[in-house]
Amino acid sequence: MQGSIFTAFSDMIIDKMGMEQWNELLEKTEPASQGIYTSGEQYEDSELVNMVVALSEKTGVEPEKLIQAFGQYLFTSLYEGCPTDLSNVDSLREFLLQIDSVIHVEVKRVHPNAYLPKFEYEDGEGTDLIMYYTSKRKLCHASVGLIYGAAKQFNEEINITHPECMHTGKDRCKLIIKFKD
């Protein structure tokens, strides 16, 4: 996993819970990296997963909820560091439709070793947008958080349902984004 994900995770823990909690997580999970992350490097996915599990045990918050909260927190740094010019993107829908075909293509150009999820799109009922998420990492809950973070960026209200999930044996996750008027 890209180091920028880990640096954002450590920032979130320190911002929300303090440096003591971050150090406690590192002591409990003993990551191979020793918790020293740089944005351009790759680290084992298990380091993040272990920290989320440990944080869940400590707080009593389900891992999926923690990952979703992290996705929402992560959005700002990804958006600000996006290698694609997004100044002409005026709506959440337009932004979401560019993730796979524009944004991820540019990220891959800048970080050739990055492993990115795959998104497919379909129009839903009314103004609904259906996004299908596929990834060996199965971080669909982070994607939900990222979409909520994007909605905040574009000042749009949405509701997301997740009726199909890779965690329950499906080949891909189905995310239905309902846009509120």
Side-chain angles (χ1 to χ4, degrees):
M1 189 175 295
Q2 197 71 25
S4 57
I5 303 301
F6 287 91
T7 58
F9 185 75
S10 68
D11 288 347
M12 181 185 84
I13 298 302
I14 293 166
D15 286 351
K16 304 286 184 190
M17 304 175 83
M19 184 59 120
E20 185 177 307
Q21 180 59 52
W22 175 246
N23 288 332
E24 189 178 306
L25 269 178
L26 294 178
E27 286 176 24
K28 181 167 176 122
T29 60
E30 300 178 339
S33 69
Q34 299 177 356
I36 302 167
Y37 303 109
T38 57
S39 61
E41 294 295 316
Q42 295 284 323
Y43 301 92
E44 292 297 317
D45 295 358
S46 60
E47 288 193 23
L48 185 65
V49 170
N50 292 342
M51 284 188 240
V52 168
V53 169
L55 193 59
S56 175
E57 289 170 357
K58 180 177 177 78
T59 64
V61 177
E62 296 172 8
E64 296 83 7
K65 294 289 183 195
L66 292 172
I67 292 169
Q68 182 175 326
F70 172 58
Q72 193 161 352
Y73 182 92
L74 176 63
F75 178 80
T76 302
S77 64
L78 291 180
Y79 186 78
E80 290 172 357
C82 184
T84 304
D85 178 15
L86 299 170
S87 61
N88 63 339
V89 177
D90 296 327
S91 71
L92 176 61
R93 176 184 288 275
E94 184 180 356
F95 173 80
L96 294 174
L97 290 171
Q98 290 190 24
I99 292 171
D100 214 55
S101 62
V102 177
I103 297 169
H104 281 178
V105 169
E106 249 335 92
V107 169
K108 231 12 192 168
R109 184 185 65 75
V110 175
H111 302 287
N113 295 327
Y115 173 79
L116 302 169
K118 173 86 177 130
F119 289 99
E120 296 174 84
Y121 307 89
E122 182 180 301
D123 286 327
E125 292 182 29
T127 61
D128 294 359
L129 176 64
I130 300 171
M131 294 177 69
Y132 294 97
Y133 165 96
T134 308
S135 172
K136 67 181 180 184
R137 290 191 170 119
K138 298 183 181 179
L139 289 172
C140 49
H141 300 288
S143 289
V144 169
L146 285 162
I147 295 167
Y148 277 118
K152 185 176 179 183
Q153 173 70 34
F154 289 96
N155 293 314
E156 295 188 37
E157 286 190 47
I158 59 167
N159 186 34
I160 301 173
T161 55
H162 190 162
E164 298 173 15
C165 187
M166 296 172 72
H167 293 280
T168 60
K170 300 293 183 183
D171 292 335
R172 61 187 184 174
C173 294
K174 181 178 183 178
L175 307 175
I176 302 172
I177 296 95
K178 295 188 173 290
F179 294 83
K180 296 181 181 179
D181 294 331

